[in-house]
Amino acid sequence: MDTTETAPLRSAPVSEARGRRWRRFRNSDLAPALVFLSPWIIGFIWFQVYPICAAIYYSLTAYNLMRPPKFIGLANYQQLFGNDPLFRQALVHSAIYALVSVPLDLCVAFVFACLLNLKIPGRAIFRAAFYFPVVVPTVATSILWVMLLNTQGGLVNVALSVLHIPAIPWLTSPNWTMPALILLSVWTIGPPIIIFLAGLQDVPKELYEVATIDGAGPLGLVRHVTIPLISPVILFNLVIGVIAAGQIFAQPLVIFSTTVSNTGSADIGGPLNSVLMYSVQLYYEAFQQFNMGYAAAMAWILFAILAIFSVVAMRLSNRIVHYE
């Protein structure tokens, strides 16, 4: 059979169908919507999708900005887990920081949110005061805390001396650098306080009245009414807090790099690398050693850890989080 005559007959219905689909698309509301969304779509692809794909590729290469990337497979990941003690040290420090600072920040933020939810004079002023540290640039607050925690003449140690407590080497002793960094995290609990306040204001007051009639005291109201009803808010603050703690960068870099430069030490994470955080180590590999492929592999490992934690937290929360 000669197919030269049937080919145009077969292609004609296909082209007509495509034309009908294009006319329906052009006449629908989807076409103008895509036109209006095109700047965002282009920006999303260029600034989000492309960097993600590039980071995946670079993590599989040896790339130092001076030469073209050379594909090496999983060698970067093998180097990280097998022959890089600083990577393991930074991972452990970040885990310790997250495990201690996040519960501490949540507890303090919850207590202050409960207090700020009461009808007290000047409540709006107090709420703004607790959120104010978040507005101040992180570098400025870090430099301020360097002066406050200075062993010689720092206001914190001056206050301790009034109580006849010896000066604490917050920034120079490997035993005190991590506690100092954890305590500094309480300085920026403004966002969780605001989120807790929003959750507390949604708790029906009738439940408090019923529980009070049943004989519940203040702690009983918090335990049996407040916490169960704002458990979704607690879960949200927990997940966001762990993600933020895993990526902490500016505070340890500014505070302890200043201390290191004054003491002449070559450690990049404070005295004896006692507060070498994961993001600081990643920054060191990328922008001081120019191991971009190696740093990209570190970034994806951090992403995987935080993603796994988020998924596990959401799955385990079904038993203890009460949604309306």
Side-chain angles (χ1 to χ4, degrees):
M1 176 184 253
D2 188 5
T3 58
T4 57
E5 297 180 0
T6 59
L9 297 177
R10 292 179 181 178
S11 60
V14 175
S15 61
E16 291 178 1
R18 290 177 179 174
R20 287 195 298 268
R21 286 197 297 268
W22 169 248
R23 286 191 294 271
R24 285 198 300 266
F25 171 76
R26 186 178 56 187
N27 296 329
S28 66
D29 295 334
L30 184 60
L34 289 177
V35 172
F36 281 107
L37 288 174
S38 58
W40 180 88
I41 295 174
I42 295 173
F44 176 76
I45 294 174
W46 184 254
F47 294 107
Q48 298 291 333
V49 176
Y50 170 72
I52 290 174
C53 297
I56 295 175
Y57 170 70
Y58 288 140
S59 69
L60 303 175
T61 64
Y63 182 42
N64 60 0
L65 295 179
M66 302 300 176
R67 299 177 181 178
K70 180 181 179 182
F71 185 81
I72 57 174
L74 299 177
N76 286 327
Y77 297 93
Q78 294 174 353
Q79 175 71 17
L80 282 169
F81 288 104
N83 301 314
D84 191 348
L86 289 180
F87 164 77
R88 295 189 293 270
Q89 190 176 11
L91 192 61
V92 171
H93 289 167
S94 296
I96 294 173
Y97 176 80
L99 289 175
V100 179
S101 67
V102 173
L104 176 64
D105 294 348
L106 290 183
C107 292
V108 176
F110 177 74
V111 171
F112 281 114
C114 291
L115 295 176
L116 294 174
N117 196 41
L118 301 175
K119 294 182 179 180
I120 57 178
R123 182 173 60 175
I125 298 176
F126 286 112
R127 290 178 177 178
F130 277 99
Y131 194 80
F132 178 75
V134 183
V135 181
V136 180
T138 305
V139 175
T141 57
S142 299
I143 296 174
L144 173 65
W145 279 105
V146 169
M147 295 184 290
L148 292 175
L149 296 177
N150 200 313
T151 306
Q152 303 295 331
L155 292 182
V156 174
N157 281 328
V158 170
L160 293 177
S161 64
V162 175
L163 302 175
H164 303 286
I165 299 176
I168 298 175
W170 298 101
L171 307 179
T172 56
S173 172
N175 297 326
W176 284 100
T177 49
M178 182 63 74
L181 191 61
I182 291 172
L183 291 176
L184 287 181
S185 66
V186 184
W187 175 254
T188 55
I189 59 173
I193 287 180
I194 297 300
I195 297 173
F196 275 134
L197 273 173
L200 290 172
Q201 292 175 0
D202 287 337
V203 178
K205 293 181 172 54
E206 296 81 4
L207 296 179
Y208 289 119
E209 297 173 357
V210 172
T212 303
I213 295 173
D214 291 339
L219 294 179
L221 293 176
V222 173
R223 177 182 177 184
H224 299 291
V225 178
T226 304
I227 292 179
L229 289 179
I230 69 167
S231 53
V233 178
I234 297 175
L235 174 64
F236 176 81
N237 278 333
L238 173 65
V239 174
I240 296 299
V242 171
I243 293 174
Q247 302 178 78
I248 182 173
F249 171 72
Q251 293 92 334
L253 181 69
V254 174
I255 294 174
F256 295 102
S257 66
T258 302
T259 305
V260 167
S261 63
N262 291 335
T263 59
S265 173
D267 296 329
I268 61 174
L272 301 180
N273 284 330
S274 55
V275 282
L276 176 62
M277 310 305 287
Y278 196 95
S279 296
V280 176
Q281 173 65 11
L282 194 155
Y283 167 82
Y284 175 78
E285 291 291 344
F287 299 104
Q288 293 191 16
Q289 299 297 318
F290 297 105
N291 294 328
M292 291 297 176
Y294 199 71
M298 290 185 63
W300 277 108
I301 292 174
L302 179 61
F303 168 78
I305 293 173
L306 296 178
I308 292 172
F309 169 80
S310 301
V311 172
V312 171
M314 297 299 294
R315 292 293 180 87
L316 296 179
S317 66
N318 296 328
R319 301 178 181 179
I320 57 178
V321 175
H322 304 279
Y323 296 96
E324 295 182 0

